[in-house]
Amino acid sequence: VVQAQGGNASQCYSLEMNAKAVERLAMEAELRYAVERDELLLYFQPQTLIPSLQVIGVECLVRWQHQGKLVPPFEFIPLAEESGLIIPIGEWILRTACQQAKAWQAQGMPLVVAINISARQFQHPKFFALVQQVLIETAVDPQLIELEITEGVVMQDADHTIELLQRLRGLGVMLSIDDFGTGYSSLSYLKRFPINKLKIDQSFVRDMDSDQGDAAIVEAVIRLGHSLGLTVIAEGVETAAHLAALEQLGCDELQGYYFSRPLPALDAQAFLQKQLLPESIQ
Ligand code: C2E
Ligand code: MG
Ligand code: MG
Ligand code: MG
């Protein structure tokens, strides 16, 4: 929008805004073909038990292979959400993740595969039917599938959400709340949600050894989760000090660079096979 009285500054500003909008539109147009051009890729990050560091699951994290670059999710997931493209993209992610879980299951590596579900995807009227269909189609053990939902999503329209979560649990899948602590959870609702796991947001873990406030939040979430009978996993675990502190606080599981970065499926598999083999034949 060019302002009538505007000098160079506001004109530059509007041109820049225009350029951004054009770039966005171009990206959206490209993203529209990402699924059919087979440009999406799933990475997998191990999740381990504390303190044994035995791998029990992986979180799948999407990447977009586009024009020779590997585009991280924060650069296209918000756009996919706003444009509605998250519906076909999310369907591809769900199906591919379930196929991978089934393949690992068939190879004797029964790992729980956690899948991020965006708000718009969760609220889509056909979401439940899609999950049901993909479970049947891939014949994966539903207990090996975990759906990660953020606090903000579950707190909107809580009654409807509880019913949907119950139906999903009825399919046998696991449910977790991602980035816990960054949203606005009503504790009384949390009690009513049929969920299995809380994922402590990495922003609290990062400075927990230097920031007493963060350490207090991590401790409180672990206690809260345990008192509600939930498993608690810490995200963004980067150091041995993080692990030691989390172990001391009784945290159940960890995920983070300290153990492994997210890896392409084959690398994740090699990494996991090495883990699963007895020491003597490694
Ligand atoms: P998230 O679900 O909370 O995923 C954790 C993010 O933290 C991942 O970033 C992961 O690579 C990163 N991470 C893991 N360990 C560490 C660590 O030790 N230190 C630090 N600094 N970071 C760590 P990524 O893959 O870039 O994903 C970012 C976000 O994008 C995810 O946050 C999730 O909200 C979204 N996302 C990723 N994949 C999907 C997807 O398949 N579907 C949807 N709807 N959203 C996705
Ligand atoms: Mg997640
Ligand atoms: Mg998270
Ligand atoms: Mg996040």
Side-chain angles (χ1 to χ4, degrees):
V1 187
V2 181
Q3 286 163 17
Q5 82 282 22
N8 279 340
S10 75
Q11 226 164 340
C12 281
Y13 181 64
S14 67
L15 283 175
E16 196 185 303
M17 275 183 38
N18 206 10
K20 281 234 170 77
V22 169
E23 196 187 312
R24 247 181 77 97
L25 277 176
M27 192 162 165
E28 190 184 317
E30 291 292 304
L31 192 56
R32 200 163 287 280
Y33 296 103
V35 171
E36 57 188 78
R37 288 179 185 156
D38 208 18
E39 292 178 342
L40 296 175
L41 196 64
L42 293 184
Y43 271 48
F44 299 88
Q45 186 175 35
Q47 300 179 327
T48 71
L49 287 174
I50 297 177
S52 68
L53 297 189
Q54 183 200 341
V55 182
I56 32 103
V58 289
E59 176 175 6
C60 86
L61 297 154
V62 70
R63 281 36 183 156
W64 179 21
Q65 278 177 299
H66 183 57
Q67 297 175 346
K69 277 183 279 181
L70 203 58
V71 187
F74 72 87
E75 286 183 26
F76 69 94
I77 290 289
L79 181 62
E81 280 238 320
E82 287 156 32
S83 61
L85 288 170
I86 194 67
I87 301 304
I89 289 175
E91 178 171 344
W92 180 89
I93 293 169
L94 182 70
R95 181 169 286 112
T96 308
C98 287
Q99 286 167 348
Q100 185 62 73
K102 173 66 187 185
W104 280 329
Q105 183 194 329
Q107 289 171 60
M109 293 198 298
L111 293 162
V112 175
V113 175
I115 307 165
N116 291 284
I117 305 297
S118 83
R120 192 142 173 196
Q121 209 184 345
F122 185 76
Q123 282 147 4
H124 192 274
K126 294 195 175 137
F127 179 66
F128 176 80
L130 175 69
V131 174
Q132 192 173 33
Q133 181 200 320
V134 169
L135 289 175
I136 292 170
E137 185 188 298
T138 57
V140 67
D141 177 353
Q143 294 194 72
L144 297 177
I145 301 303
E146 179 178 316
L147 305 179
E148 293 191 5
I149 299 146
T150 56
E151 271 172 285
V153 175
V154 291
M155 289 302 151
Q156 288 171 32
D157 192 7
D159 288 334
H160 168 76
T161 300
I162 289 169
E163 198 210 300
L164 178 53
L165 293 175
Q166 271 161 352
R167 293 171 68 209
L168 289 165
R169 283 289 294 133
L171 294 175
V173 299
M174 312 289 279
L175 300 171
S176 61
I177 300 204
D178 201 0
D179 304 340
F180 189 78
T182 60
Y184 302 89
S185 279
S186 150
L187 297 183
S188 60
Y189 277 133
L190 194 61
K191 186 183 71 174
R192 294 172 52 206
F193 286 138
I195 52 169
N196 306 93
K197 194 187 270 197
L198 295 181
K199 300 194 75 178
I200 307 177
D201 191 65
Q202 56 189 54
S203 61
F204 303 116
V205 176
R206 189 177 307 131
D207 300 321
M208 67 178 290
D209 23 11
S210 57
D211 184 322
Q212 289 203 3
D214 284 341
I217 290 171
V218 170
E219 179 171 10
V221 173
I222 293 169
R223 289 210 186 163
L224 172 69
H226 286 172
S227 64
L228 293 173
L230 307 175
T231 300
V232 181
I233 181 167
E235 295 192 83
V237 177
E238 294 189 351
T239 65
H242 287 156
L243 169 60
L246 289 163
E247 182 177 355
Q248 209 247 323
L249 294 175
C251 191
D252 305 295
E253 299 172 6
L254 72 79
Q255 179 182 342
Y257 297 166
Y258 176 66
F259 190 73
S260 171
R261 290 189 173 253
L263 302 167
L266 282 178
D267 295 344
Q269 189 169 316
F271 185 91
L272 297 169
Q273 268 161 345
K274 217 174 123 199
Q275 279 269 320
L276 298 172
L277 287 174
E279 305 247 322
S280 57
I281 54 170
Q282 251 182 48

